[in-house]
Amino acid sequence: MAATTLQSESKRRARKRLYTGLLFISPWLFGLLVFQLLPIMTSLYYSLTDFNLFGSPEWVGVDNFVALAHDKKMYLSLYNTIFITIFGLFPQIAFALVIALLLNRDVKGKSLYRTIYFLPTLVPAIAGSLLWMWLLNAQYGLINEVLGYLHLPAPNWLLDPKWTKPSLILMGFWGTGTTTIMYLAALQDVPKLYYEAASIDGASPWQKFWNITFPAISPMTLFLVIMGLIGSFQYFSQGYIFADGNGQAIGGPENSILFYAIYLYQTAFSFLKMGYASAMAWVLFVIVFILTIIVFKTSAKWVYYGGEK
Amino acid sequence: MSANPTQTVPHVRKLPTRSKAGRRVIREKIFAHTILIIVGLLFLAPFIWLVITSLKTENEIFTVPIKWWPDELQWKNYSDAISMIPFVKYTLNTILIALLSILGVVIITPMVAYGFSRIDFKGRNFLFFIMMGTIMLPFQVTMIPIYVMFNKMNLINSIWPLVLSSWFGTGIAYNVFLVRQFFMGIPHELSESAKIDGASEFRIYTQIIMPLAKPAVLTIGLFTFLGAWGDFQGPLIYLNDPEKWTLSIGLKQFLRENRVAWGPLMAAATLFTIPIVILYFFVQRKFIEGISITGMK
């Protein structure tokens, strides 16, 4: 008897905990429903329709996806996006790591350096982008002036389609402070003991990096790569401003900075093709999802979690 | 985190400088400083150029070779920046959106984080997993249906799509994660003893946990401010009426004319950036800690 009352008492408590718990997280549940689950379903529906925002959506089946598969402009935007991911994201992560490694040596004035590297990330996208457009100005810009002093070629950064993406990538390095700080936090968690033991064994700094530091911070690298990929495929503001600020149409010179998210925005809000844009969004989701899975799969080979190895 | 730079000095001195190892350490330090200084100067240069350009006349801006310093500081660019566009109105619009966003976020986030960290209910881990999974969902997937929803509610060209998205959108996951980490560090004995005294979860939350959570709440408030202040894509989508524009969108107006007024534009960009830089110097540690935990900015 006593056992059953105890059991029902614990059940009652569990139920009460469930209700209280759900009550506390209810704002998030509301957000999940109204700002995520319903829009996801609606977006999937829109992607199968022709919808210009004013009329009601008209069912067209997979037509949008078929048209998308033949859309040259989409492939161009995808190419541009992959370009800045490969030549922007990865070098920028590597650069942030180098800076973090240098800062982690307990150099004098560390907090001053850290502040300087972090400040650019605080600058709003519009202010930072316009500033860089001025720095990159072919005729009057600071960067070409300095390149001139060094007797280096002065490219037409903002108007030559070959140089527009490198311009954005260059600006991206300026905004790597967040990544540096995260690497710095990870580096500070690597036990000093490992390095001392390696020193006794006569390991070179290079060996120490590849055998101790890199494995120890690899979970952070994985995190940065995945978050970076997700962000890179949604790259928007800077690319949009670089075209707009030059008095150019969306996409910039010869659509050289038409990124996937920008083309999607243009499709939705300039052309009012909401159905087609929704189909584009789903393709984007699938691409990001597959890439994330691939990175996770390969991570077994290069990511080490504490204690396992 | 040994932020105090003087701490490293005795460490260097202790090493016998004439020994081989000591010399190597010094060589490495010089190497590190050289790179850090060069890169640091490259990082600072755009800021310096921003301010210098904002103080030049138009003729001084458009000269070859470059003019490094204006003959006379053109403070007029700053008054022009404020009068050429409705700068004050845009600033107030931006502040209003930022404040309302912060208000909702600092009320909602700790509640949700409390539920996810200190109440042990069935399905909690699953829901938490879902929440962290939503970070992977591209903004573009939900962008159009949410726009259509706000359009049906006649809220386009109002601040509400931006404010409500900051309360309930994907960003909540980062905030909850950060505050949850903080809550998990608070000893459970604290709430257990209150429970024995008959306190309800709500009472424990408001009377015991929340007063301790101020640092975490301050951090998410800061990040929310930063996000709202610099947001470009949100206002671009939702605010078409120039009366409702924020500074991010309003700054584009300098580009609308045939020739960009770079002096006033750089002055406006400076004014737009300065509040954040000042804020950073006041609460530096909050920023750094917050980023180290969640990786967000």
Side-chain angles (χ1 to χ4, degrees), chain A residues 17 105 113 117 121 174 227, chain B residues 28 33 36 43 120 297:
Chain A
R17 275 206 308 272
R105 320 188 62 156
Y113 286 126
Y117 296 131
T121 69
W174 195 54
M227 296 309 288
Chain B
E28 280 175 13
H33 275 293
L36 287 171
F43 269 53
D120 187 18
K297 189 218 64 172

Side-chain angles (χ1 to χ4, degrees), chain B residues 78-281:
Chain B
Y78 283 82
S79 53
D80 284 351
I82 292 169
S83 59
M84 275 171 75
I85 63 169
F87 194 89
V88 177
K89 171 177 274 169
Y90 294 161
T91 309
L92 291 176
N93 289 346
T94 312
I95 290 175
L96 181 66
I97 292 170
L99 285 184
L100 283 171
S101 300
I102 292 171
L103 187 70
V105 165
V106 301
I107 292 172
I108 289 170
T109 308
M111 260 182 78
V112 177
Y114 185 88
F116 273 129
S117 59
R118 300 188 73 93
I119 303 173
D120 187 18
F121 61 92
K122 207 172 164 229
R124 183 180 81 170
N125 291 345
F126 173 72
L127 287 173
F128 187 71
F129 178 76
I130 297 274
M131 184 180 76
M132 296 319 287
T134 60
I135 289 176
M136 263 190 66
L137 185 74
F139 164 77
Q140 285 76 10
V141 173
T142 54
M143 171 177 84
I144 290 165
I146 292 176
Y147 181 85
V148 173
M149 175 179 83
F150 282 123
N151 190 35
K152 279 182 188 153
M153 294 160 80
N154 260 328
L155 289 175
I156 304 299
N157 279 324
S158 81
I159 58 170
W160 294 108
L162 300 167
V163 172
L164 289 172
S165 297
S166 78
W167 294 359
F168 298 111
T170 311
I172 193 175
Y174 292 97
N175 291 331
V176 169
F177 182 79
L178 190 142
V179 181
R180 175 179 167 269
Q181 292 295 100
F182 186 85
F183 282 172
M184 291 200 308
I186 300 175
H188 265 280
E189 290 78 19
L190 229 57
S191 18
E192 289 309 317
S193 57
K195 256 180 223 168
I196 290 164
D197 293 341
S200 68
E201 286 288 359
F202 188 72
R203 230 183 117 81
I204 296 169
Y205 171 68
T206 52
Q207 311 268 304
I208 298 174
I209 305 297
M210 272 312 275
L212 293 170
K214 268 184 213 143
V217 171
L218 185 62
T219 305
I220 57 166
L222 262 172
F223 283 121
T224 307
F225 176 79
L226 207 60
W229 187 257
D231 186 19
F232 179 79
Q233 200 173 3
L236 183 71
I237 292 171
Y238 288 114
L239 307 175
N240 311 313
D241 176 3
E243 289 285 300
K244 299 283 158 59
W245 277 351
T246 60
L247 277 172
S248 262
I249 302 298
L251 242 55
K252 283 205 316 173
Q253 274 199 325
F254 286 106
L255 311 167
R256 281 287 162 262
E257 291 123 60
N258 296 330
R259 197 140 163 240
V260 178
W262 282 105
L265 171 57
M266 290 293 120
T270 308
L271 291 174
F272 188 28
T273 307
I274 275 178
I276 302 181
V277 173
I278 292 173
L279 194 66
Y280 172 76
F281 281 105

Side-chain angles (χ1 to χ4, degrees), chain A residues 14 17-18 20-32 34-36 38-40 42-43 46 51 53-54 95 99 102-103 105-111 113-127 130-135 137 139-142 145-146 149 173-178 181-182 185 188 205 208 220 223 226-227 230 233-234 236-237 240-241 244-245 261 264-265 268-269 273-274 277-278 281-282 284-285 288-289 292, chain B residues 1-3 5 8-9 28-29 31-33 35-37 39-40 42-47 49-50 53 61-66 68 108 111-112 114-116 119-122 127-128 130-131 134-152 161 164-165 168-170 172 174 201-202 205 226 229-230 232-233 236-237 247-248 251-252 255-256 260 262 265-266 269 272-273 276-277 280-281 284 287-288 291-292 294-297:
Chain A
R17 275 206 308 272
L18 176 66
T20 323
L22 290 179
L23 188 68
F24 270 92
I25 66 164
S26 59
W28 172 70
L29 287 172
F30 170 79
L32 180 71
V34 177
F35 284 77
Q36 270 150 356
L38 279 176
I40 289 172
T42 317
S43 167
Y46 285 164
F51 179 37
L53 192 62
F54 302 110
F95 170 77
I99 298 295
L102 291 173
L103 284 176
R105 320 188 62 156
D106 283 328
V107 288
K108 206 174 170 183
K110 182 174 166 180
S111 68
Y113 286 126
R114 201 178 53 187
T115 300
I116 292 171
Y117 296 131
F118 186 66
L119 273 182
T121 69
L122 296 170
V123 178
I126 179 94
L130 292 173
L131 168 60
W132 273 83
M133 288 182 70
W134 176 238
L135 291 167
N137 187 295
Q139 242 183 310
Y140 306 105
L142 182 63
E145 176 83 11
V146 173
Y149 277 119
F173 278 94
W174 195 54
T176 47
T178 313
I181 295 217
M182 295 190 65
Q188 276 159 354
K208 280 188 212 166
M220 179 58 85
F223 176 78
I226 287 180
M227 296 309 288
I230 294 172
F233 271 82
Q234 299 181 52
F236 181 86
S237 302
Y240 183 95
I241 296 164
D244 199 38
L264 199 160
Y265 168 86
F269 296 105
K273 287 158 75 177
M274 297 290 173
S278 297
W282 276 91
L284 173 69
F285 187 27
V288 169
F289 190 78
T292 310
Chain B
M1 226 189 277
S2 61
T8 56
V9 177
E28 280 175 13
K29 293 246 175 204
F31 173 75
H33 275 293
I35 292 184
L36 287 171
I37 288 171
V39 177
L42 290 174
F43 269 53
L44 275 180
F47 286 107
W49 203 238
L50 170 72
T53 309
I61 287 172
F62 293 105
T63 48
V64 181
I66 234 161
W68 296 100
I108 289 170
M111 260 182 78
V112 177
Y114 185 88
F116 273 129
I119 303 173
D120 187 18
F121 61 92
K122 207 172 164 229
L127 287 173
F128 187 71
I130 297 274
M131 184 180 76
T134 60
I135 289 176
M136 263 190 66
L137 185 74
F139 164 77
Q140 285 76 10
V141 173
T142 54
M143 171 177 84
I144 290 165
I146 292 176
Y147 181 85
V148 173
M149 175 179 83
F150 282 123
N151 190 35
K152 279 182 188 153
L164 289 172
S165 297
F168 298 111
T170 311
I172 193 175
Y174 292 97
E201 286 288 359
F202 188 72
Y205 171 68
L226 207 60
W229 187 257
F232 179 79
Q233 200 173 3
L236 183 71
I237 292 171
L247 277 172
S248 262
L251 242 55
K252 283 205 316 173
L255 311 167
R256 281 287 162 262
V260 178
W262 282 105
L265 171 57
M266 290 293 120
F272 188 28
T273 307
I276 302 181
V277 173
Y280 172 76
F281 281 105
Q284 228 186 102
F287 269 106
I288 306 297
I291 286 168
S292 306
T294 62
M296 78 172 166
K297 189 218 64 172

Side-chain angles (χ1 to χ4, degrees), chain A residues 72-101:
Chain A
K72 285 213 179 82
K73 211 172 158 190
M74 186 280 284
Y75 287 111
L76 177 61
S77 72
L78 196 57
Y79 165 78
N80 289 337
T81 308
I82 292 169
F83 186 99
I84 55 146
T85 304
I86 294 175
F87 299 108
L89 175 66
F90 295 111
Q92 281 156 10
I93 290 178
F95 170 77
L97 175 58
V98 170
I99 298 295
L101 284 168

Side-chain angles (χ1 to χ4, degrees), chain A residues 43-61:
Chain A
S43 167
L44 193 57
Y45 166 64
Y46 285 164
S47 74
L48 302 168
T49 68
D50 203 0
F51 179 37
N52 69 0
L53 192 62
F54 302 110
S56 48
E58 265 174 63
W59 184 265
V60 294

